[in-house]
Every structure is written in C-alpha cells, then in structure tokens.
Amino acid sequence: MQKAIPLMIQGTHSDAGKSMIATAFCRIFSQDGYKTAPYKSQNMALNSYITAEGKEIGRAQGVQAEAAGIGATTDMNPILIKPTGNFESQIVVHGKVFRNMKAGEYRQDFYSQGIKIIEETYGRLAVKYDRIVIEGAGSPAEVNLNDRELVNMRVARITGAPVILVGDIEKGGVFASLTGTLQLLEPEDRIRVFGVIINKFRGDVELLKPGLEWFENYTGVPVLGVIPYIDNLNIEAEDSVVLQRYTSSADAAKDLDIAVIRYPMISNFTDVDPFFLEQDCHVRFVQNPEELGQPDLLILPGSKNTIEDMMYLHNSGLGSRILNLAEKNTHIFGICGGYQMLGKRIEDKFGTETSLRQSCNGLDLIPMKTLITLDKKTVLSEGTAVYRNRRFPVKGYEIHMGESYFKENHRRFIKLNNMDDGYISSNGQLIGTYFHGIFHNTEFREAFLNSLREKKGLLPITGRASSQKVKEEAFNRLADTVRKSVNLDLICEKMHEFQLTGRKKGFEKYNKPD
C-alpha cells in the first residue's frame, strides 16, 4: 500500500533553483522524522553520481539522497540523458547505458517505455517512504513539448503530487515568468500549483511586498516564501550552467592559482569543488589559450566526448599551451577523460561516444593509448594513492567508457584491490587517473596542495576542512534558511489535503490495501 506523500518542485526555467529547493525539503522532512526520498523521473546532466550498486544516476538526486540521510538508488532517477554532441545523447536507464538516441527518436520511440518506467520506479519508492520530494526539469510551460514530456506535469499526474513553482528573482522578471508559466498550464495542471516560491532574493523583503500582493491578487496563487540568496553554499551542482558564475582570470590575492579546462563536453566538474573550500586557492575555468596564463595547477576534468573535446584542445590552441606548461614543470592533473587526453592516442572504432571521427592524437604526455569501449565502467572505488613517498587511503568512483594501455613500465598513481590505476611522473608533477573524487579525500588534498605551496616557497597549511563535514553543514544551513523563509505549516497542510482530493485515478495499483 502506498504511504508516501509527495511534493513536487517545478521551476519557471532551468537553473531557477529547483534542485536546491528539493534538497532543502529532503533535509527538512528528514529532520522532522519522516523517511524521505528524492525523485526525478528524467534528468539531463553530464555530472553523474554512482550508487552503492555501481549504477549511474543524476548527481542532484544522489546529493538529495545524502541530504535525506539515505543511500541513493536508480529508482530515484530511473532515466538519465547524457548529451554526447551532434544532437545525440546517451540514454541511461536504471543506471546502465540503454543506447544513444537522437532527440526526435527519443521523443517518438521512448515515450511509452518512459511512462512505464516512471510508474514502476515511483511505485516502489511510494511503499518504502513517508515523503517523496519530486523535482521537475526546465519549465512545465514548454508548450511545444508537453504532449510527450516525461518529467513535469505528467509526473505530477502519475504520482498524485501537488506542485510548488519556483522562480529565480536574480535573473529579473520573476513575476512575469511565474505569471506566464501559470497561464500557459493546462487547467488540470494549474490547480496542482498550490503556491510559488521566489528564490535567490537579495535585499529588503519589505520592498518586495507590493509585488507579492499584486501577484497573489492577480493569480490567486499564494507566495509560500521568499528565499534569500545563500552565499558560499558548498553543495555539488550537476548542471554546467553554474560554470558561468566562475571567472577565467587569476586572483593575485590567493596563494595558489588553479586553472580548469572547460571544454564543450565537460563532465563531473565537481571533482574540483573541494578547492573552493580552501582559503589559499583560486579556482577558475578557462576556454581559450589567452585565459590560461601560468597556473600553479592545471586540471583536465572529465569529458562525455573525449575525442571531440581533445580536438577542441588541438584546434583552439589550448593543447599547445598545455604542452608549454608541461615543459615548465607545471603541475598537471587529468581525471577520467582528461587523463585519456594526456596520452598518445584515443580511438573510438565503435562510435561509442562520437560518430564524427574514430580517432585522434592526444597530448602525448603519458605513454599510453586509450580505446573507447562499448561497455561503461561505473563503480565506487577505494584504494591507496602514492604521492611523494607517502601513502594516502582514498575513496571515490569510476565512470568511463574506455580502457587505457601502456607499452612500457610506469608508476601507478593509485593501488586498488584488484588492479592499479593511473599514472604519476617521477617528479610527481604530472598525474592522470580514472578516479573521480580524489580531491575530496582531505589528507591527500592537504599533502598535494602543500607540495604546490612548497614549490612557491610558501609554508604548508595543515588542518584543512573535511569536504564531507562541510557538505553536512551546508545541508543544514540550506534547510534552516528555507525553513525560516517559507510557510512550512501551509505546505504540509496542502500536501495532506491534496492526497484526499487530488490523487490521480489510475495509480490505484500502488494503493491496494494490505
């Protein structure tokens, strides 16, 4: 018998703050004693999360599960779309690659299967949890897509969920976007929206009150809260749109300058998040040779399409600049796709990631060749990183389609239980690994950053913050801010009320009495 009471968070557009609001409610309901799970039927993101079973889901749902204090499962994000370029995406179903599809093909051929997947996965969650926080995607008012969408109001209908609509005031026009979204909804969907939240507000709420009153009078929909902009909220993002917030220029006030290559298909860029916690580090994302400068550390992050991103490096001139930095013994660190790019050659003879070309030369800094395979490796990993004659226990995850081969002996960077991973040069200034999350390991990160400081003649810094502890503090700060900013009693009242009056007929198969 279904016992879960759902709440759905939708937005007026992408990056309105749906993921963070959903994360906040996952933590709030969990704090209040409810067994809570996140749910997003279909997610489009290159920044993914690996479950304990070695399955792949959207990072936002993995983070939301952490906020709720539970382990993430593929039922929480059963469909993941990972764009590969050329108007094509890799479709991941139940945590494993289904196949690559064009947008039109997916919309036409996958729809019925998607509906079944949503019903089954939500149904399993609904019997296990007290509360389910459902996240939409983009906008529910995309009138050209709504006849076959799988993530917004159709999910609200299937799950019987009431909806809170979120608008981002930071971008301007929040009342127009909220009002316009409501007006474009079908009548049966508009009545599901029992309130709106205005997000990312800076300033005096008193000055906003005339607008709030106008909105409520005009639409008849209450404003449930105004959430202030939260600075330095150290919770992982999944959408690369957040990278637009970061500078590409160096900051002379910081001891260490860390440059991250932002190629077109960058993925799992949250590997560098721990550096944002460090007072002596400035992290910047660069897209062209002029921005690169002379960083203390250059990071080549993951890529969803390694060959095309490698060609981007060659064609933009960034590849030549990276080689110049290597000649000057700049610290260079490649992770996953970035690791593959540091090798001699990359081959994709099956067209797994791209159909545009089958092979390309790498940067030839590491004596290895990479073959992109049909099978994707997704696994949580732990082992021992060996750096500057010290051994560091590390935990992380692997997610890659490709195997790398060496023709000569080399130093492995990480010793795992069943095999070794990566490459480290004799002087420790060139490192490559398939191991995501390496910098989240505080002991290693501290030693690594201190080696950069030593190179510049700076004293070491000890006692660096645990990224896990910082994340927990961020979850609580987010929840506290949202709790204080919204009418939580009214939200809970409406959630219960909607279960009595608004549950969609046809979901009874998950509501059978015991």
Side-chain angles (χ1 to χ4, degrees):
M1 179 178 180
Q2 178 180 346
K3 64 174 181 176
I5 296 178
L7 173 65
M8 188 165 194
I9 309 298
Q10 297 186 14
T12 56
H13 53 77
S14 295
D15 198 35
K18 296 183 294 291
S19 293
M20 284 301 168
I21 301 299
T23 302
F25 278 109
C26 283
R27 176 52 61 106
I28 288 169
F29 291 148
S30 178
Q31 288 174 334
D32 292 347
Y34 298 104
K35 188 178 180 183
T36 304
Y39 185 75
K40 187 166 185 174
S41 56
Q42 171 191 283
N43 201 343
M44 178 179 284
L46 290 180
N47 201 19
S48 53
Y49 185 100
I50 303 302
T51 69
E53 295 77 25
K55 303 292 182 66
E56 183 180 11
I57 65 173
R59 178 151 293 271
Q61 283 61 65
V63 169
Q64 288 160 4
E66 291 179 11
I70 61 172
T73 70
T74 60
D75 280 346
M76 298 169 190
N77 174 216
I79 305 169
L80 177 62
I81 301 174
K82 306 189 74 172
T84 60
N86 196 31
F87 305 105
E88 191 172 81
S89 294
Q90 181 186 85
I91 311 301
V92 178
V93 177
H94 296 306
K96 291 295 184 182
V97 175
F98 176 63
R99 65 187 177 94
N100 284 15
M101 302 180 80
K102 299 281 188 181
E105 179 187 8
Y106 176 83
R107 177 174 164 80
Q108 180 64 35
D109 298 341
F110 191 78
Y111 176 75
S112 296
Q113 183 176 352
I115 292 292
K116 183 178 179 181
I117 290 169
I118 292 167
E119 291 179 341
E120 291 175 349
T121 53
Y122 183 84
R124 285 195 289 266
L125 293 178
V127 298
K128 296 178 182 177
Y129 293 92
D130 304 318
R131 298 283 184 274
I132 299 180
V133 181
I134 307 171
E135 182 185 340
S139 164
E142 302 289 354
V143 295
N144 59 312
L145 301 176
N146 279 348
D147 62 322
R148 297 180 77 81
E149 61 92 6
L150 291 170
V151 70
N152 284 314
M153 283 301 179
R154 184 158 283 99
V155 174
R157 296 174 205 163
I158 290 173
T159 62
V163 175
I164 294 176
L165 184 64
V166 177
D168 177 2
I169 197 170
E170 188 181 36
K171 291 182 171 62
V174 70
F175 294 115
S177 59
L178 287 168
T179 303
T181 299
L182 289 170
Q183 290 180 343
L184 288 172
L185 295 177
E186 294 294 330
E188 67 173 303
D189 293 328
R190 184 176 180 182
I191 62 174
R192 289 185 178 277
V193 181
F194 69 92
V196 304
I197 286 175
I198 293 177
N199 195 27
K200 304 179 190 176
F201 179 70
R202 303 174 189 258
D204 186 352
V205 177
E206 290 296 319
L207 299 177
L208 192 61
K209 282 188 175 179
L212 304 180
E213 293 172 359
W214 175 89
F215 176 83
E216 291 184 339
N217 290 332
Y218 186 82
T219 66
V221 178
V223 177
L224 298 171
V226 178
I227 299 175
Y229 188 93
I230 308 175
D231 286 314
N232 301 316
L233 190 62
N234 297 300
I235 296 176
E236 296 164 320
E238 82 172 354
D239 196 330
S240 61
V241 69
V242 302
L243 299 181
Q244 297 172 7
R245 304 172 189 170
Y246 301 126
T247 181
S248 61
S249 57
D251 183 353
K254 296 294 183 73
D255 291 339
L256 299 177
D257 178 31
I258 299 174
V260 184
I261 301 296
R262 183 185 172 187
Y263 12 75
M265 300 301 292
I266 184 174
S267 68
N268 290 77
F269 52 85
T270 48
D271 280 330
V272 305
D273 277 6
F275 294 128
F276 288 105
L277 307 177
E278 308 294 356
Q279 296 300 311
D280 59 336
C281 295
H282 175 66
V283 181
R284 54 195 179 90
F285 289 83
V286 301
Q287 295 179 279
N288 59 66
E290 294 74 27
E291 296 171 341
L292 190 50
Q294 301 290 327
D296 300 302
L297 170 63
L298 173 65
I299 296 176
L300 280 70
S303 166
K304 186 62 192 75
N305 191 322
T306 308
I307 286 181
E308 290 189 26
D309 278 346
M310 185 67 249
M311 293 309 301
Y312 171 80
L313 295 187
H314 286 317
N315 296 334
S316 67
L318 274 167
S320 297
R321 285 285 292 114
I322 293 170
L323 295 178
N324 290 338
L325 291 175
E327 291 176 357
K328 297 176 182 178
N329 284 327
T330 299
H331 278 77
I332 298 176
F333 206 116
I335 302 174
C336 200
Y339 170 41
Q340 295 172 344
M341 294 179 203
L342 293 175
K344 288 178 174 290
R345 192 160 179 81
I346 307 162
E347 295 185 358
D348 185 6
K349 63 180 180 179
F350 301 110
T352 303
E353 290 189 346
T354 179
S355 58
L356 297 182
R357 60 184 302 152
Q358 290 190 332
S359 63
C360 73
N361 291 327
L363 293 169
D364 200 11
L365 292 173
I366 294 178
M368 73 176 189
K369 175 181 177 181
T370 295
L371 302 179
I372 305 298
T373 57
L374 291 172
D375 297 325
K376 178 183 287 191
K377 183 175 184 179
T378 57
V379 63
L380 296 179
S381 299
E382 57 182 291
T384 303
V386 181
Y387 182 68
R388 303 188 83 188
N389 297 319
R390 291 180 59 189
R391 302 170 71 86
F392 300 91
V394 292
K395 293 183 178 181
Y397 64 98
E398 295 177 59
I399 174 171
H400 56 93
M401 302 186 83
E403 298 293 338
S404 296
Y405 303 92
F406 292 80
K407 288 187 176 181
E408 54 193 74
N409 292 331
H410 66 286
R411 297 188 180 195
R412 290 290 195 176
F413 173 51
I414 298 177
K415 296 184 178 296
L416 303 170
N417 291 334
N418 56 350
M419 61 177 293
D420 293 338
D421 168 80
Y423 170 93
I424 183 169
S425 62
S426 58
N427 62 4
Q429 292 184 306
L430 177 64
I431 299 176
T433 181
Y434 277 118
F435 202 87
H436 288 285
I438 181 65
F439 298 121
H440 287 74
N441 294 274
T442 307
E443 187 180 0
F444 170 75
R445 185 176 75 253
E446 179 175 293
F448 183 73
L449 289 177
N450 281 337
S451 71
L452 301 183
R453 295 182 64 83
E454 178 185 315
K455 186 176 180 181
K456 298 185 73 173
L458 300 171
L459 293 175
I461 293 177
T462 58
R464 293 183 184 268
S466 160
S467 56
Q468 184 58 41
K469 181 179 179 181
V470 170
K471 183 190 291 186
E472 278 297 309
E473 292 171 348
F475 285 148
N476 289 331
R477 184 158 68 98
L478 173 63
D480 290 346
T481 301
V482 172
R483 187 188 289 273
K484 293 174 183 176
S485 303
V486 303
N487 188 337
L488 187 59
D489 289 341
L490 179 59
I491 291 172
C492 292
E493 176 186 327
K494 291 295 184 181
M495 289 169 63
H496 283 277
E497 180 182 301
F498 201 86
Q499 296 312 293
L500 299 175
T501 61
R503 186 181 299 280
K504 178 188 181 299
K505 292 181 179 179
F507 203 69
E508 291 86 352
K509 59 185 173 181
Y510 300 116
N511 291 300
K512 294 178 181 178
D514 293 332

